[in-house]
Amino acid sequence: FGMTVFTSKSPEGPFRMLDFTSEASVGEGNTRTIDREKYKDDYVKALLFEPGAFMEKLAQIAPKLAAGIKLYPSQIDAHPYEYNGKKYFYMTLMSNPNAILGIEMENWLKPKYETLTLISVAGYYNVQDYLDGKPASYQKETATNVNEGAQVIEHNGKHYLIYSFGAHTSRSYSVGQAVSTSGPLGPYRKLTEDEGGIVLSCDYGRYEKLSATGHHGLFTVNGKQMIAYH
């Protein structure tokens, strides 16, 4: 998996995939060169994040996660976010355990790799505990090692990471939240259940008519905040 960008002159399409080796495709200043000896697959020219630059920074901020990736970092669940005139992009890193990463963007086609930040790690209430080698403490996340479907919102001066954990094929799949008082890239702390850390769930199987209440989208209608989910 990898992040790619498609564009269209109309919301109805047709859409075309961008080629980051072509100025005609992505515009002046957004092109890049690719080490084709190392990255031989043709689709590498369509990836939003150049694998080499991405992995170099990932190895600095999360060496254990980077060590488990052979060549291409695998990412899913894109979330673009704008705040105070700046652009941010969030994604799930398909690692073991899953992690959510955030990065500031110069524009929607040009990442600022120096800002790549580890936002959350499955099984941990905060990233620092993982980096310090402490044992996982968020037990409801450790069974599947899943953190995915990131969405960031601002409320009353704080930023909230709303994300999914658990297995998407089971009733353990739930929506949780973490909070940052330091801005869109955190650091974030996952809230406990007593603090309202679980936004949406089917009570881990006790409601047999529901399943996999995760992977959400928050939106506002007539001043009311709504949630859509699997």
Side-chain angles (χ1 to χ4, degrees):
F1 302 104
M3 295 295 168
T4 58
V5 182
F6 288 71
T7 63
S8 172
K9 294 180 179 179
S10 167
E12 291 82 15
F15 286 83
R16 64 179 178 85
M17 183 186 288
L18 297 186
D19 176 354
F20 285 89
T21 66
S22 167
E23 187 174 292
S25 181
V26 297
E28 184 179 359
N30 296 321
T31 59
R32 62 171 181 256
T33 57
I34 297 171
D35 182 355
R36 297 309 294 265
E37 289 297 314
K38 185 174 183 179
Y39 302 104
K40 301 180 185 297
D41 300 284
D42 192 51
Y43 65 76
V44 70
K45 65 185 181 183
L47 296 176
L48 175 60
F49 298 104
E50 194 280 313
F54 187 96
M55 288 301 300
E56 181 179 358
K57 185 59 179 179
L58 182 65
Q60 294 175 11
I61 65 171
K64 289 188 294 183
L65 293 180
I69 299 172
K70 293 182 179 180
L71 186 61
Y72 292 101
S74 186
Q75 308 128 345
I76 61 171
D77 299 346
H79 173 56
Y81 173 64
E82 292 189 71
Y83 181 71
N84 281 350
K86 294 184 177 181
K87 295 176 171 60
Y88 301 90
F89 191 96
Y90 301 84
M91 72 208 88
T92 295
L93 180 69
M94 299 296 285
S95 52
N96 186 19
N98 268 174
I100 292 174
L101 299 171
I103 189 171
E104 186 181 340
M105 306 288 287
E106 186 171 325
N107 58 58
W108 288 127
L109 301 180
K110 193 170 184 179
K112 293 184 176 181
Y113 290 106
E114 68 275 13
T115 68
L116 186 67
T117 303
L118 187 60
I119 300 294
S120 80
V121 180
Y124 291 84
Y125 281 101
N126 62 76
V127 165
Q128 195 58 51
D129 283 350
Y130 169 77
L131 296 177
D132 290 342
K134 294 180 180 179
S137 56
Y138 198 165
Q139 299 304 318
K140 286 181 177 175
E141 292 187 3
T142 56
T144 57
N145 278 328
V146 171
N147 274 186
E148 61 186 20
Q151 185 176 11
V152 171
I153 62 171
E154 186 274 339
H155 179 68
N156 289 341
K158 298 178 181 179
H159 280 84
Y160 291 86
L161 167 70
I162 319 296
Y163 70 101
S164 291
F165 66 89
H168 73 277
T169 55
S170 79
R171 290 193 289 269
S172 70
Y173 204 39
S174 304
V175 177
Q177 65 177 323
V179 63
S180 164
T181 59
S182 303
L185 293 179
Y188 285 84
R189 178 183 67 86
K190 293 174 184 173
L191 301 181
T192 66
E193 288 188 60
D194 289 342
E195 294 175 300
I198 296 179
V199 177
L200 184 69
S201 78
C202 57
D203 213 9
Y204 308 100
R206 282 180 283 197
Y207 297 141
E208 295 183 357
K209 292 184 179 181
L210 297 177
S211 179
T213 51
H215 209 142
H216 71 291
L218 293 173
F219 56 99
T220 302
V221 178
N222 295 328
K224 294 183 179 181
Q225 195 166 64
M226 314 289 285
I227 186 168
Y229 58 93
H230 281 186

